[in-house]
Amino acid sequence: METPLLVIVDAANVVGSVPDGWWRDRKGAAERLRDALAVNGAPGIAEPVEIVLVVEGAARGVASVEGVRVESAAGSGDDHMVALVAAREPGRPCLVVTADRELRRRVTELGAEVAGPRTVRP
């Protein structure tokens, strides 16, 4: 069986891409994103995926659910996502969902593809 595409979602960046009051409840906003990902998966991607939602700061402590593994970054969420990309199995395809230019540069240097927040916004 083929290893599924690893989809790493920058929760802070995706949540922050729409001014819907997320700043009043960062953890709740991350939970809503997690739940949408669990229901919708990675829209537009037909192949099997493994979704990892990376949270940081006030959103730490969001629990994983079936279909979405949530990882709380101890420090920088960007550094955590770069570490996940670097630690994946050699040759495993990876997509990082973020609009952060510096993060996009860092993960593409490690062979990941990138997509913007609209890719997964509910």
Side-chain angles (χ1 to χ4, degrees), residues 10-87:
D10 181 350
N13 191 268
V14 172
V15 164
S17 69
V18 176
D20 61 1
W22 59 264
W23 52 89
R24 291 188 290 270
D25 181 11
R26 293 170 194 254
K27 187 174 181 184
E31 288 170 336
R32 288 188 295 279
L33 175 58
R34 175 208 57 202
D35 295 346
L37 290 167
V39 170
N40 301 323
I45 300 174
E47 62 191 282
V49 297
E50 175 187 356
I51 299 174
V52 179
L53 180 66
V54 176
V55 297
E56 61 186 323
R60 282 189 191 106
V62 171
S64 295
V65 296
E66 186 173 338
V68 180
R69 184 174 87 234
V70 180
E71 293 203 9
S72 293
S76 158
D78 290 3
D79 290 346
H80 190 80
M81 288 178 272
V82 170
L84 288 172
V85 172

